[in-house]
Amino acid sequence: MIRLFFFILCALSLFISNIFPGPVFAKEYCIAMITWRGETIAEKGFIDELDKSTHEITLIKYNADQDNARLQKIITRICSNPVDIIYVFGTTATKAVLLRIKDIPVVFNIVSRPVGSGIIASWDCSKNNATGASNKVSAIHQLKTLKKVINYKNLGIIYNPKEQNSIIQRNNVKRLENTLHFSLKEYKVSREQDIFKTLPQMRDKVDAVFLPADSMVKFLGKRIMEIVNKYKIPSLSSVGSMVPEDGVLLGFVPKYYELGRIAAKKAILILNGTKPSDIPSSVLDHYDISVNMKTAKNINIQIPMSVLVMANQIVRW
Protein backbone atom coordinates (compact mmCIF):
# COMPACT_ATOMS: atom_id res chain seq x y z
CA MET A 1 0.00 0.00 0.00
CA ILE A 2 2.84 2.35 0.90
CA ARG A 3 4.64 1.53 -2.35
CA LEU A 4 1.46 2.21 -4.35
CA PHE A 5 0.99 5.56 -2.60
CA PHE A 6 4.63 6.54 -3.27
CA PHE A 7 4.30 5.60 -6.95
CA ILE A 8 1.12 7.69 -7.32
CA LEU A 9 2.79 10.65 -5.57
CA CYS A 10 5.84 10.53 -7.89
CA ALA A 11 3.65 10.27 -10.97
CA LEU A 12 1.55 13.20 -9.80
CA SER A 13 4.65 15.29 -9.15
CA LEU A 14 6.01 14.51 -12.61
CA PHE A 15 2.65 15.42 -14.19
CA ILE A 16 2.47 18.75 -12.35
CA SER A 17 6.11 19.62 -13.20
CA ASN A 18 5.44 19.00 -16.91
CA ILE A 19 2.37 21.23 -16.90
CA PHE A 20 3.85 23.92 -14.65
CA PRO A 21 7.61 23.82 -15.21
CA GLY A 22 9.69 25.66 -12.64
CA PRO A 23 12.25 28.37 -13.44
CA VAL A 24 15.36 27.30 -15.34
CA PHE A 25 18.51 28.72 -13.81
CA ALA A 26 21.54 29.37 -16.05
CA LYS A 27 24.82 27.95 -14.83
CA GLU A 28 27.11 30.52 -13.31
CA TYR A 29 30.75 30.28 -14.36
CA CYS A 30 33.79 31.55 -12.50
CA ILE A 31 36.92 32.98 -14.14
CA ALA A 32 40.07 33.78 -12.18
CA MET A 33 41.89 36.81 -13.62
CA ILE A 34 45.60 36.91 -12.80
CA THR A 35 47.43 40.12 -13.71
CA TRP A 36 51.18 40.57 -13.40
CA ARG A 37 51.38 44.34 -12.89
CA GLY A 38 47.77 45.30 -12.22
CA GLU A 39 44.92 45.74 -14.66
CA THR A 40 45.66 47.22 -18.08
CA ILE A 41 43.58 48.19 -21.10
CA ALA A 42 43.91 44.52 -22.15
CA GLU A 43 41.83 43.44 -19.15
CA LYS A 44 39.25 46.11 -19.95
CA GLY A 45 38.87 44.62 -23.44
CA PHE A 46 38.56 41.15 -21.91
CA ILE A 47 35.85 42.23 -19.46
CA ASP A 48 33.93 44.28 -22.04
CA GLU A 49 33.78 41.33 -24.43
CA LEU A 50 32.73 38.93 -21.66
CA ASP A 51 29.84 41.28 -20.85
CA LYS A 52 28.43 40.57 -24.32
CA SER A 53 28.21 36.86 -23.53
CA THR A 54 24.92 35.21 -22.53
CA HIS A 55 26.75 33.28 -19.81
CA GLU A 56 26.54 34.26 -16.15
CA ILE A 57 30.19 34.91 -15.30
CA THR A 58 31.83 35.87 -12.02
CA LEU A 59 35.38 37.29 -12.11
CA ILE A 60 37.81 36.79 -9.25
CA LYS A 61 40.72 39.18 -9.67
CA TYR A 62 44.27 38.59 -8.47
CA ASN A 63 47.26 40.92 -8.92
CA ALA A 64 50.66 39.24 -8.60
CA ASP A 65 52.28 42.70 -8.50
CA GLN A 66 55.42 41.34 -10.21
CA ASP A 67 56.10 39.17 -7.16
CA ASN A 68 56.76 35.47 -7.87
CA ALA A 69 56.09 34.43 -4.27
CA ARG A 70 52.76 36.21 -4.37
CA LEU A 71 51.97 34.58 -7.72
CA GLN A 72 52.61 31.13 -6.26
CA LYS A 73 50.20 31.86 -3.40
CA ILE A 74 47.56 32.90 -5.93
CA ILE A 75 48.04 29.65 -7.85
CA THR A 76 47.79 27.65 -4.61
CA ARG A 77 44.53 29.40 -3.75
CA ILE A 78 43.08 28.60 -7.18
CA CYS A 79 44.18 24.96 -6.83
CA SER A 80 42.25 24.79 -3.54
CA ASN A 81 39.20 26.52 -5.01
CA PRO A 82 39.04 25.51 -8.70
CA VAL A 83 37.46 27.82 -11.26
CA ASP A 84 36.16 27.23 -14.79
CA ILE A 85 38.86 29.27 -16.57
CA ILE A 86 42.05 31.10 -15.62
CA TYR A 87 42.88 34.30 -17.51
CA VAL A 88 46.52 35.30 -17.11
CA PHE A 89 48.58 38.27 -18.33
CA GLY A 90 52.16 37.95 -19.53
CA THR A 91 54.76 35.28 -20.18
CA THR A 92 56.15 34.95 -16.65
CA ALA A 93 52.77 34.46 -14.97
CA THR A 94 51.44 32.17 -17.72
CA LYS A 95 54.42 29.82 -17.49
CA ALA A 96 54.08 29.65 -13.70
CA VAL A 97 50.36 28.84 -13.94
CA LEU A 98 50.80 26.13 -16.58
CA LEU A 99 53.64 24.54 -14.63
CA ARG A 100 51.27 23.76 -11.75
CA ILE A 101 47.79 23.66 -13.25
CA LYS A 102 47.05 21.04 -15.90
CA ASP A 103 43.30 20.47 -15.60
CA ILE A 104 41.81 23.98 -15.69
CA PRO A 105 41.58 25.82 -19.05
CA VAL A 106 44.04 28.73 -19.25
CA VAL A 107 43.57 31.75 -21.53
CA PHE A 108 46.76 33.79 -21.78
CA ASN A 109 47.12 37.35 -23.04
CA ILE A 110 50.03 39.68 -23.92
CA VAL A 111 52.51 36.82 -24.41
CA SER A 112 54.73 37.93 -27.26
CA ARG A 113 56.36 34.54 -28.03
CA PRO A 114 54.02 31.77 -26.78
CA VAL A 115 55.60 29.05 -28.95
CA GLY A 116 59.21 30.12 -28.38
CA SER A 117 58.66 30.28 -24.60
CA GLY A 118 57.09 26.81 -24.52
CA ILE A 119 53.62 27.95 -23.48
CA ILE A 120 51.99 26.28 -26.50
CA ALA A 121 53.24 23.65 -28.93
CA SER A 122 52.08 25.57 -32.02
CA TRP A 123 49.77 28.40 -32.98
CA ASP A 124 47.14 25.95 -34.24
CA CYS A 125 47.21 23.47 -31.37
CA SER A 126 48.62 24.06 -27.90
CA LYS A 127 48.63 20.33 -26.96
CA ASN A 128 47.82 21.38 -23.40
CA ASN A 129 45.15 23.25 -21.45
CA ALA A 130 46.02 26.69 -22.87
CA THR A 131 45.07 29.06 -25.67
CA GLY A 132 45.25 32.82 -25.95
CA ALA A 133 46.22 36.08 -27.61
CA SER A 134 49.75 37.23 -28.37
CA ASN A 135 51.14 40.75 -28.65
CA LYS A 136 53.80 39.51 -31.06
CA VAL A 137 55.08 42.23 -33.37
CA SER A 138 57.61 41.77 -36.14
CA ALA A 139 60.89 43.25 -34.89
CA ILE A 140 61.99 44.09 -38.43
CA HIS A 141 58.94 46.32 -38.95
CA GLN A 142 59.58 48.06 -35.64
CA LEU A 143 63.23 48.70 -36.36
CA LYS A 144 62.56 49.81 -39.94
CA THR A 145 60.15 52.41 -38.54
CA LEU A 146 62.86 53.63 -36.17
CA LYS A 147 65.28 53.77 -39.13
CA LYS A 148 62.96 56.28 -40.81
CA VAL A 149 63.53 58.63 -37.88
CA ILE A 150 67.24 58.07 -37.36
CA ASN A 151 69.70 56.01 -39.38
CA TYR A 152 71.25 54.34 -36.34
CA LYS A 153 74.46 52.35 -36.55
CA ASN A 154 74.64 51.43 -32.86
CA LEU A 155 71.35 50.31 -31.32
CA GLY A 156 70.89 49.89 -27.60
CA ILE A 157 68.37 47.45 -26.10
CA ILE A 158 67.18 47.77 -22.50
CA TYR A 159 65.68 44.55 -21.15
CA ASN A 160 65.32 42.26 -18.15
CA PRO A 161 67.47 39.11 -18.66
CA LYS A 162 65.33 37.29 -16.07
CA GLU A 163 62.27 37.37 -18.35
CA GLN A 164 62.37 34.64 -21.00
CA ASN A 165 60.07 36.70 -23.20
CA SER A 166 62.58 39.55 -23.17
CA ILE A 167 65.47 37.25 -24.02
CA ILE A 168 63.54 35.95 -27.04
CA GLN A 169 62.91 39.53 -28.22
CA ARG A 170 66.56 40.39 -27.69
CA ASN A 171 67.56 37.40 -29.82
CA ASN A 172 65.16 38.45 -32.60
CA VAL A 173 66.69 41.93 -32.69
CA LYS A 174 70.22 40.49 -32.62
CA ARG A 175 69.46 38.44 -35.75
CA LEU A 176 68.66 41.64 -37.65
CA GLU A 177 72.09 43.24 -37.22
CA ASN A 178 73.35 42.34 -40.70
CA THR A 179 70.00 42.90 -42.42
CA LEU A 180 69.54 46.43 -41.06
CA HIS A 181 73.25 47.23 -40.72
CA PHE A 182 73.61 48.00 -37.03
CA SER A 183 75.51 46.77 -33.99
CA LEU A 184 73.46 45.83 -30.90
CA LYS A 185 74.52 47.06 -27.45
CA GLU A 186 72.84 45.41 -24.46
CA TYR A 187 71.78 47.14 -21.24
CA LYS A 188 70.28 44.76 -18.68
CA VAL A 189 67.84 46.01 -16.05
CA SER A 190 66.44 43.58 -13.46
CA ARG A 191 65.88 46.06 -10.63
CA GLU A 192 65.75 49.81 -10.07
CA GLN A 193 69.40 50.02 -8.96
CA ASP A 194 70.51 48.73 -12.37
CA ILE A 195 69.14 51.86 -14.05
CA PHE A 196 71.68 54.16 -12.44
CA LYS A 197 74.52 51.67 -12.75
CA THR A 198 73.96 50.48 -16.33
CA LEU A 199 72.16 53.13 -18.37
CA PRO A 200 74.74 55.93 -18.03
CA GLN A 201 77.01 53.67 -20.11
CA MET A 202 74.80 54.42 -23.12
CA ARG A 203 75.96 58.00 -23.35
CA ASP A 204 77.74 58.60 -26.66
CA LYS A 205 77.69 54.83 -27.30
CA VAL A 206 74.31 54.34 -29.03
CA ASP A 207 72.34 56.25 -31.68
CA ALA A 208 68.94 54.90 -30.63
CA VAL A 209 67.33 52.63 -28.04
CA PHE A 210 64.82 49.77 -28.39
CA LEU A 211 62.61 48.76 -25.45
CA PRO A 212 60.93 45.35 -25.86
CA ALA A 213 57.62 44.28 -24.30
CA ASP A 214 59.10 43.76 -20.85
CA SER A 215 57.17 44.08 -17.57
CA MET A 216 60.18 45.29 -15.60
CA VAL A 217 61.08 47.91 -18.23
CA LYS A 218 57.48 49.15 -18.23
CA PHE A 219 57.38 49.25 -14.42
CA LEU A 220 60.57 51.35 -14.35
CA GLY A 221 59.65 53.26 -17.51
CA LYS A 222 59.68 56.80 -16.13
CA ARG A 223 63.08 56.39 -14.48
CA ILE A 224 64.56 54.71 -17.54
CA MET A 225 63.32 57.39 -19.91
CA GLU A 226 64.58 60.22 -17.70
CA ILE A 227 68.10 59.01 -18.48
CA VAL A 228 67.48 58.07 -22.12
CA ASN A 229 65.94 61.46 -22.90
CA LYS A 230 68.57 63.28 -20.83
CA TYR A 231 71.18 61.88 -23.23
CA LYS A 232 68.90 62.83 -26.18
CA ILE A 233 68.71 59.26 -27.50
CA PRO A 234 65.74 58.45 -29.79
CA SER A 235 63.69 55.52 -28.46
CA LEU A 236 61.12 53.00 -29.66
CA SER A 237 59.01 50.80 -27.39
CA SER A 238 56.92 47.66 -27.88
CA VAL A 239 54.62 48.86 -25.06
CA GLY A 240 52.33 51.56 -26.40
CA SER A 241 51.54 53.17 -23.05
CA MET A 242 55.20 54.07 -22.59
CA VAL A 243 54.90 56.76 -25.28
CA PRO A 244 52.35 59.03 -23.56
CA GLU A 245 53.13 57.95 -19.97
CA ASP A 246 56.91 57.65 -19.87
CA GLY A 247 58.16 59.86 -22.69
CA VAL A 248 59.29 57.23 -25.22
CA LEU A 249 59.67 58.80 -28.68
CA LEU A 250 57.97 56.07 -30.77
CA GLY A 251 55.67 53.13 -30.20
CA PHE A 252 54.94 50.32 -32.65
CA VAL A 253 52.47 48.02 -30.92
CA PRO A 254 49.30 45.96 -31.21
CA LYS A 255 46.14 47.27 -29.55
CA TYR A 256 46.00 45.75 -26.07
CA TYR A 257 42.26 46.37 -25.84
CA GLU A 258 41.64 44.31 -28.99
CA LEU A 259 43.88 41.53 -27.68
CA GLY A 260 41.74 41.46 -24.54
CA ARG A 261 38.62 41.05 -26.67
CA ILE A 262 40.23 38.20 -28.61
CA ALA A 263 41.16 36.45 -25.35
CA ALA A 264 37.57 36.80 -24.12
CA LYS A 265 36.20 35.22 -27.29
CA LYS A 266 38.44 32.22 -26.65
CA ALA A 267 37.19 32.02 -23.07
CA ILE A 268 33.59 32.01 -24.32
CA LEU A 269 34.40 29.17 -26.73
CA ILE A 270 35.71 27.20 -23.76
CA LEU A 271 32.53 27.88 -21.77
CA ASN A 272 30.59 26.61 -24.80
CA GLY A 273 32.44 23.30 -24.59
CA THR A 274 35.49 23.63 -26.87
CA LYS A 275 38.78 22.29 -25.54
CA PRO A 276 41.58 24.91 -25.22
CA SER A 277 43.90 22.74 -27.32
CA ASP A 278 41.40 22.92 -30.20
CA ILE A 279 41.32 26.74 -30.16
CA PRO A 280 44.18 28.34 -32.16
CA SER A 281 46.13 31.12 -30.46
CA SER A 282 46.03 34.48 -32.22
CA VAL A 283 47.95 37.63 -33.08
CA LEU A 284 46.63 40.90 -34.49
CA ASP A 285 47.31 41.71 -38.13
CA HIS A 286 47.39 45.48 -37.63
CA TYR A 287 49.39 47.73 -35.31
CA ASP A 288 49.39 51.21 -33.84
CA ILE A 289 52.18 53.74 -34.29
CA SER A 290 52.51 56.38 -31.58
CA VAL A 291 54.69 59.49 -31.69
CA ASN A 292 55.60 61.73 -28.77
CA MET A 293 56.20 65.17 -30.27
CA LYS A 294 57.10 66.66 -26.90
CA THR A 295 59.97 64.17 -26.59
CA ALA A 296 60.98 64.82 -30.20
CA LYS A 297 61.29 68.52 -29.44
CA ASN A 298 63.22 67.95 -26.20
CA ILE A 299 65.81 65.67 -27.83
CA ASN A 300 66.01 67.71 -31.06
CA ILE A 301 64.66 65.04 -33.41
CA GLN A 302 62.64 65.81 -36.55
CA ILE A 303 59.87 63.25 -37.14
CA PRO A 304 59.47 62.63 -40.91
CA MET A 305 56.07 63.22 -42.45
CA SER A 306 56.10 59.61 -43.69
CA VAL A 307 55.93 58.49 -40.04
CA LEU A 308 53.44 61.12 -38.91
CA VAL A 309 50.89 60.21 -41.57
CA MET A 310 50.97 56.59 -40.36
CA ALA A 311 50.64 57.51 -36.68
CA ASN A 312 47.49 56.49 -34.81
CA GLN A 313 48.45 58.61 -31.82
CA ILE A 314 50.42 61.83 -31.63
CA VAL A 315 51.30 63.11 -28.17
CA ARG A 316 51.80 66.87 -28.22
CA TRP A 317 52.06 67.74 -24.52
Side-chain angles (χ1 to χ4, degrees):
M1 186 70 180
I2 294 175
R3 289 181 178 178
L4 178 61
F5 175 76
F6 181 75
F7 176 78
I8 294 171
L9 183 62
C10 289
L12 183 61
S13 298
L14 182 61
F15 174 75
I16 292 172
S17 65
N18 286 334
I19 297 178
F20 305 104
V24 177
F25 297 99
K27 179 180 178 181
E28 185 171 318
Y29 295 95
C30 185
I31 297 178
M33 174 182 282
I34 303 176
T35 54
W36 181 239
R37 49 181 170 86
E39 288 188 43
T40 69
I41 191 66
E43 283 68 53
K44 177 171 172 45
F46 183 77
I47 293 170
D48 287 352
E49 192 65 29
L50 282 185
D51 286 343
K52 299 177 184 179
S53 167
T54 57
H55 296 293
E56 292 292 328
I57 300 171
T58 298
L59 276 177
I60 303 176
K61 299 180 180 181
Y62 301 97
N63 177 19
D65 199 25
Q66 300 188 86
D67 185 328
N68 280 305
R70 184 170 180 172
L71 175 60
Q72 292 301 324
K73 289 180 181 179
I74 291 170
I75 297 172
T76 298
R77 185 177 300 178
I78 293 173
C79 288
S80 301
N81 301 279
V83 295
D84 296 291
I85 293 174
I86 300 171
Y87 166 96
V88 57
F89 178 106
T91 302
T92 299
T94 301
K95 286 179 69 68
V97 168
L98 289 174
L99 187 63
R100 293 182 55 188
I101 297 179
K102 310 293 184 180
D103 55 350
I104 300 175
V106 173
V107 176
F108 62 81
N109 198 11
I110 318 300
V111 173
S112 63
R113 299 295 186 275
V115 177
S117 59
I119 287 173
I120 55 176
S122 71
W123 290 96
D124 292 329
C125 178
S126 66
K127 294 188 178 180
N128 59 13
N129 55 317
T131 185
S134 170
N135 60 324
K136 179 181 178 182
V137 181
S138 171
I140 192 166
H141 293 317
Q142 291 177 306
L143 298 184
K144 280 184 175 180
T145 300
L146 183 57
K147 275 274 187 181
K148 292 179 179 180
V149 175
I150 180 168
N151 187 24
Y152 53 87
K153 300 298 182 185
N154 292 295
L155 177 68
I157 181 170
I158 302 172
Y159 72 103
N160 179 9
K162 294 182 179 180
E163 285 194 25
Q164 185 180 10
N165 167 60
S166 300
I167 294 173
I168 292 171
Q169 292 178 82
R170 174 264 179 202
N171 292 342
N172 288 337
V173 172
K174 181 72 175 176
R175 283 192 285 268
L176 294 172
E177 282 183 307
N178 292 332
T179 303
L180 296 181
H181 310 292
F182 67 85
S183 176
L184 188 65
K185 312 292 183 184
E186 298 182 27
Y187 302 92
K188 301 174 182 179
V189 175
S190 299
R191 53 184 181 168
E192 186 171 356
Q193 296 93 309
D194 295 338
I195 295 174
F196 310 103
K197 177 183 177 181
T198 304
L199 298 193
Q201 299 174 26
M202 295 187 304
R203 189 171 192 173
D204 300 324
K205 298 289 178 61
V206 299
D207 306 308
V209 168
F210 175 71
L211 301 106
D214 182 313
S215 293
M216 181 60 69
V217 170
K218 169 53 188 167
F219 179 69
L220 299 173
K222 284 185 172 60
R223 294 175 180 85
I224 289 172
M225 291 312 301
E226 283 175 2
I227 295 178
V228 172
N229 288 334
K230 176 183 176 182
Y231 297 151
K232 300 187 183 302
I233 303 172
S235 53
L236 183 145
S237 176
S238 295
V239 180
S241 60
M242 291 189 73
V243 176
E245 295 176 6
D246 303 318
V248 172
L249 179 65
L250 298 171
F252 190 106
V253 298
K255 294 182 179 180
Y256 275 29
Y257 182 85
E258 293 302 321
L259 288 172
R261 292 184 61 226
I262 290 174
K265 290 177 181 178
K266 296 181 187 302
I268 292 169
L269 285 174
I270 292 170
L271 296 181
N272 289 339
T274 307
K275 294 180 181 179
S277 59
D278 293 335
I279 303 173
S281 296
S282 304
V283 295
L284 289 177
D285 57 3
H286 55 280
Y287 306 98
D288 278 354
I289 294 177
S290 302
V291 180
N292 192 318
M293 296 302 289
K294 180 180 178 181
T295 297
K297 180 179 179 181
N298 290 341
I299 67 174
N300 301 320
I301 285 290
Q302 183 72 36
I303 304 296
M305 187 58 65
S306 60
V307 173
L308 290 176
V309 296
M310 295 189 298
N312 305 92
Q313 179 187 37
I314 298 178
V315 180
R316 299 187 183 278
W317 57 82

